[in-house]
Each structure stands twice: as C-alpha cells, then as structure tokens.
C-alpha cells in the first residue's frame, strides 16, 4: 500500500516561477511513490481574502491549468477543489469542538500575521480557525505526509495535536500523526532580490508571455558591485546568475566565466537569460495554452477528482462519526 499525501495551495492569485520550483516540481515527483491528493484550498483563500473575492473563480481555474501544464497527472493523482468536498467541513466542525483556543492563539503563524498584515482585517473567527481546517484537510484522508514549505510547520504540529487529542478523547486510533515532507527546493528570489511574492510585485508568472518575460528580466537587479562593463562581476551573489543555475544549469559555468571575467555585460547576460528561460518554458507554455482552451476537459478532471476525494473522505468521516456516537 502506498502512503498517502495531501497538499494544497490557496488560489489567491496567479502562480509564478516560485510556485513551480518551490512546490509543483516537487509534487510532480511524488506522484509515483505516493497516493496523492492535491487540492485548491479555496476555503483557506476565503479565510484571509474574504474582503475581495472578485477574481476567486478565475484564480481557481488558472491555478488548476498551471498544475496540469506543469505535470500534475489526473490519472495518477486526485486533483480537486476543497469547497466541493463537504466532508472537510464536517471534520472541521468536529475538530473545532475539541481544539483549545490557546493552541490557536499561540500559533506562531497566526501571531505573526496578526502583527504584520495591516491592510486587511484578519481579526475574525474564521482566520483563527485556519489551522483547524487545515488539520481537517489532511486528516479527512488520513494522509501521512504533507509536502509543504517551512512556513507551514506550525500548522502541521497543530494537526498532530488535534489528531492526538481526538484519538485520546474517544479512545480510538483513527487519525495518523502527519509529518511535513520538506524537500530541498532551490531558493528563487523575485526580480528585485526579495522573496518572490505577488505582494512585492516582483514575480514572473507561469502564464506570462515571452514578451513579458523579456521585459521583466531586463528590469532585474544585477551585481551592484559591477558598475562598468570592464569590472569583474560576482556571479555567486548575482540574482540573475541564480536564475541561470536554477533554469539553465547546463551553461552555468560558461555564464559564470562571462560575468567573473567581464566578458559580457549585464544587459546582454539578461537578454540571453530571457531567451533561455522562454525556451525552457516552451513545452509548459504549449500545454498551458491547450488546457486553458479546453474548459470542458478541466471541468471533467475536477469532477472526477471530486468524486474520488468524496469517496475517500466519506469513509473517514463515517468512522469519525461512529467514534463520536453521532
Ligand atoms: N495553508 C497552506 C498554505 O498557505 C495551504 C493549505 C490548506 C494546505 N490546506 C492544506 C497545505 C493542507 C497542506 C495541507 O500554503
């Protein structure tokens, strides 16, 4: 029996290269070894972005197109939309009853976001319960492994605490204690050298056209110590070089030589990077076009995913309700 994986992404915008190298490439590799459930976490998007839902359905569709184009294979993995599988909410309700408030109030991600995010009002009942729903997402499938970034570790710890509390209270061994699956992912910074993030407006989106990519790359920051063309550059601290390493590693040494020995200017170096990246993304972009145009196909994939997810989730919910004498 294969071990089970569940992971999800919040559809709060278009996906960018950071999502591709940070999550999707990894999900794709896991598809053969594990039984995978990948969901669009639209309830979680609502919990933090409830004030602006104008583009929610567009983002959901667009993200699914990116997943498929990147190589999430609906014949191998179950791909679904969280809000279409109502069993998540049943378990969320049950977990809400047994989760001590203190656990949620002390959660580091919660405290940090309450402190940092001033542009939205997150002082809501739903936002406090965000990790409870995430625990339900994972445990409704009895998933053992959860591929996520480090920022999600506190939520995984909460999921284990909730599982333990349930098993103890009702003297049943229903829920596993899921672990994060942290894998080495290349660190990809945004165009300006900060973390790649929509809110910094420094992303290259997966749906960007060649022209947009060229334009965006031409605006990238390069080695600040290299002022004149004849100055030697420092590839190891140059963000443009790190893009070469991630996307076109084959020519990495050559590029390093261009830069360190002042054989090529930064403008030309960026032009070549844009060409190389566009070339590298070509098969992805072609698949993306095909999927984006075939709305019926996407609908069908999501319907099948929903059916499979409901079948798996219903089984665990039944067991859970029985443990509660419901
Ligand atoms: N909170 C996750 C994030 O922001 C998204 C998510 C929701 C998730 N439910 C999940 C991730 C369950 C893993 C498992 O990235």
């Amino acid at each position: 029996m294969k071990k089970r994986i569940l992971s999800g992404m919040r559809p709060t915008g278009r996906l960018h290269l950071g999502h591709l190298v940070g999550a999707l490439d990894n999900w794709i590799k896991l598809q053969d070894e594990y039984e995978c459930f990948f969901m669009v976490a639209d309830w979680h998007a609502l919990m933090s972005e409830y004030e602006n839902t104008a583009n929610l359905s567009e983002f959901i569709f667009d993200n699914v197109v990116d997943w498929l184009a990147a190589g999430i294979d609906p014949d191998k993995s179950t791909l679904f939309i969280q809000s279409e599988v109502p069993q998540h909410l049943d378990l969320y309700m049950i977990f809400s009853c047994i989760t001590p408030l203190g656990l949620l109030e002390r959660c580091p991600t919660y405290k940090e976001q309450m402190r940092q995010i001033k542009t939205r009002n997150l002082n809501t009942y739903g936002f406090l319960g965000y990790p409870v729903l995430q625990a339900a997402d994972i445990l409704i499938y009895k998933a053992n492994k959860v591929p996520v970034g480090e920022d999600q570790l506190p939520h995984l710890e909460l999921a284990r605490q909730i599982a333990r509390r349930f098993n103890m209270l009702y003297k049943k061994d229903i829920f596993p204690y899921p672990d994060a699956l942290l894998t080495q992912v290349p660190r990809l910074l945004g165009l300006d050298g900060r973390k790649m993030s929509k809110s910094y407006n420094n992303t290259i989106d997966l749906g960007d056209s060649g022209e947009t990519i060229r334009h965006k790359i031409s605006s990238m920051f390069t080695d600040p110590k290299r002022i004149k063309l004849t100055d030697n550059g420092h590839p190891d601290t140059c963000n443009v070089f790190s893009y070469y390493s991630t996307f076109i590693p084959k020519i990495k040494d050559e590029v390093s030589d261009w830069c360190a020995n002042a054989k090529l200017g930064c403008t030309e170096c960026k032009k070549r990077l844009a060409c190389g990246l566009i070339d590298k993304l070509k098969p992805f972009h072609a698949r993306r076009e095909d999927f984006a145009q075939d709305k019926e196909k996407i609908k069908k994939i999501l319907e099948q995913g929903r059916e499979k997810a409901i079948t798996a989730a219903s089984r665990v919910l039944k067991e859970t309700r029985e443990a509660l004498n419901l």
Side-chain angles (χ1 to χ4, degrees), residues 244 247-248 251 271-281:
Y244 273 107
F247 295 105
I248 332 174
I251 59 164
K271 268 192 196 145
R272 293 187 191 179
L273 171 64
C275 282
L277 182 61
I278 291 165
D279 201 49
K280 166 92 186 211
L281 292 174

Side-chain angles (χ1 to χ4, degrees), residues 6-8 10 39 41 44 130 134 137-138 146 148 152 155:
L6 175 123
S7 197
R10 293 182 311 138
M39 70 171 193
H44 278 107
Y130 184 110
Q134 188 162 344
D137 295 335
I138 299 164
V146 187
V148 283
Q152 296 294 310
H155 294 166

Side-chain angles (χ1 to χ4, degrees), residues 19-85:
H19 295 110
L20 186 67
V21 300
L24 284 174
D25 280 345
N26 184 31
W27 287 8
I28 288 153
K29 284 192 218 126
L30 297 167
Q31 293 185 107
D32 292 310
E33 194 183 336
Y34 294 91
E35 184 188 6
C36 294
F37 289 78
F38 296 125
M39 70 171 193
V40 179
D42 55 347
W43 286 140
H44 278 107
L46 193 63
M47 281 171 163
S48 58
E49 321 278 323
Y50 63 90
E51 285 164 312
N52 181 7
T53 62
N55 301 318
L56 193 51
S57 65
E58 181 198 324
F59 290 151
I60 291 172
F61 179 79
D62 197 73
N63 289 8
V64 170
V65 167
D66 281 334
W67 291 10
L68 292 165
I72 299 291
D73 179 349
D75 291 330
K76 292 181 187 166
S77 302
T78 303
L79 194 165
F80 66 98
I81 295 172
Q82 182 188 33
S83 72
E84 294 186 354
V85 181

